[in-house]
Amino acid sequence: MVRETPEVSAGSTADIAFLLLIFFLVTTTMDVDSGIVRKLPPPLPKDAPTPPKVKKRNVYTVLINSRDMLLVNGKVGSLDYLRKDVKEFLTPHVPDNPQYPETEETELDFIGKYNKSKGIVSMQNDRGTSYKTYIAVQNELAAAVRELRDALSKQYFGMDFKTLLDTDKDKAKAIQKAVPMAISEAEPVNFGGNK
Amino acid sequence: MAKFKKEGKKKLPAVSTASLPDIIFMLLFFFMVSTVMREVTLVVKIKAPEASEVQKLEDKSLVSFIYIGKPTSALRAKWGEADRIQLNDAFAEVNQVRDFISLKVEKIPEYKRKKHIVSMKVDENSKMGIVTDVKQELRKANALKINYSTRKMAVEEK
């Protein structure tokens, strides 16, 4: 004789699920990590040739001292107009204008002939510079490049750079080539005195 | 006047709770999937600086975290006020960074190693000196992709 096994009550599954749910609710951290992405230069080999000299007009220097003050191209600068200034500097100026960096005609996919700016932003900070200021400057420089890319992207492809990056990687690469992230960080120095 | 019908004996049937577990399970699965378990306990205090030009970190398994900041108030008596580096769960010195990175990279499958990225979580009041030291170490360790962890700032048009 086969006796039927009584059905197990499922009434408590809700409670069990609730317990698990509460556990996960408590342990969850929803924050997505985000930040400014940068690439470090590779380590220099010992017998590295001296890098070619860059013309002065092609370099935009930003120095930050240990008191978080900015020296931009030899003058006291401010975070408020750094972005606008860098944008102007990196915008290709045709015909040649000696106040701005040289341009170089390059052949790019999708875009065709484009006068690329040879400008480089050089950034140097002191050991005593606060991280906050450093990030603020990095942010302004990144914003300047991003805005230039956006403008170019709108002009050629009719959308901003971020959308372009999601839809067409090759076209985005062309934009990246036209407006490179030309930020170089010099080896750090200690010109502020106090650490 | 119309008389109301007596409905005394007829009770409203109880709402079935049979689907409750399903609903809860759905919520549960959502939280299970979206949860990121905290892997380390912080021994340094970090308040990330704000920035607007941020990119998200995609795959957590490809990221190594380096924390820099002042020791938390409980540990300050023992470790002092100066900025310190935290790797994994403990304080570390600059020269340990390279080993930390190479250990981490070894765990990543070969074909993904190029995507390895170092996330620097640095307190906004830290000095650049220690950050620069770490960056130089990272260059030597050939971990060139870095991400300065920041909080998202509301984008203002300039």
Side-chain angles (χ1 to χ4, degrees), chain A residues 13-14 16-17 20-21, chain B residues 20-30:
Chain A
T13 40
I16 296 164
L20 282 169
L21 176 64
Chain B
L20 189 64
D22 303 340
I23 297 163
I24 303 301
F25 263 118
M26 254 171 48
L27 279 171
L28 175 65
F29 286 137
F30 168 71

Side-chain angles (χ1 to χ4, degrees), chain A residues 38-106:
Chain A
R38 270 293 111 83
K39 249 190 144 166
L40 294 173
L44 288 175
K46 273 192 189 125
D47 52 347
T50 43
K53 276 252 183 273
V54 183
K55 278 186 194 160
K56 205 177 166 195
R57 60 181 275 201
N58 289 345
V59 186
Y60 185 92
T61 51
V62 182
L63 307 176
I64 321 169
N65 75 359
S66 62
R67 288 189 189 147
D68 295 343
M69 292 189 303
L70 264 61
L71 193 73
V72 176
N73 277 344
K75 289 186 208 112
V76 177
S78 151
L79 270 176
D80 300 332
Y81 47 79
L82 185 64
R83 187 189 301 197
K84 204 173 139 254
D85 229 30
V86 172
K87 250 176 93 175
E88 217 170 278
F89 174 81
L90 287 179
T91 311
H93 287 262
V94 189
D96 202 40
N97 180 343
Q99 288 195 323
Y100 293 102
E102 294 169 298
T103 54
E104 185 182 33
E105 199 176 69
T106 40

Side-chain angles (χ1 to χ4, degrees), chain B residues 20-141:
Chain B
L20 189 64
D22 303 340
I23 297 163
I24 303 301
F25 263 118
M26 254 171 48
L27 279 171
L28 175 65
F29 286 137
F30 168 71
F31 277 99
M32 276 176 74
V33 170
S34 60
T35 288
V36 186
M37 291 278 187
R38 231 172 233 281
E39 276 171 24
V40 293
T41 37
L42 285 177
V43 291
V44 292
K45 202 170 147 261
I46 285 167
K47 188 176 175 232
E50 284 183 338
S52 57
E53 308 299 311
V54 295
Q55 286 170 32
K56 275 181 194 156
L57 281 178
E58 299 288 338
D59 192 345
K60 280 272 164 71
S61 63
L62 298 174
V63 183
S64 343
F65 291 98
I66 295 178
Y67 306 87
I68 300 173
K70 291 188 171 51
T72 50
S73 44
L75 293 162
R76 211 159 282 178
K78 195 178 168 196
W79 293 91
E81 294 273 331
D83 294 325
R84 289 199 153 261
I85 306 165
Q86 178 187 352
L87 303 172
N88 294 325
D89 268 336
F91 290 114
E93 296 299 327
V94 177
N95 54 23
Q96 286 169 275
V97 171
R98 224 192 295 188
D99 286 341
F100 169 74
I101 295 295
S102 53
L103 272 177
K104 174 81 190 180
V105 170
E106 261 171 39
K107 282 188 201 151
I108 302 173
E110 195 116 25
Y111 66 100
K112 274 188 185 165
R113 277 192 193 161
K114 266 192 175 166
K115 289 185 180 164
H116 175 247
I117 186 164
V118 179
S119 174
M120 306 250 283
K121 294 189 172 237
V122 185
D123 187 74
E124 59 181 15
N125 292 319
S126 297
K127 297 287 175 214
M128 278 308 289
I130 191 162
V131 181
T132 309
D133 291 343
V134 170
K135 267 161 70 181
Q136 294 298 335
E137 273 312 292
L138 289 177
R139 276 177 72 184
K140 284 183 206 153

Side-chain angles (χ1 to χ4, degrees), chain A residues 28 33 36 127 129 134 146, chain B residues 35 53 121 128-129 135 148:
Chain A
T28 292
D33 271 307
I36 299 174
R127 292 186 64 89
T129 307
Y134 173 79
R146 197 252 309 152
Chain B
T35 288
E53 308 299 311
K121 294 189 172 237
M128 278 308 289
K135 267 161 70 181
Y148 300 108

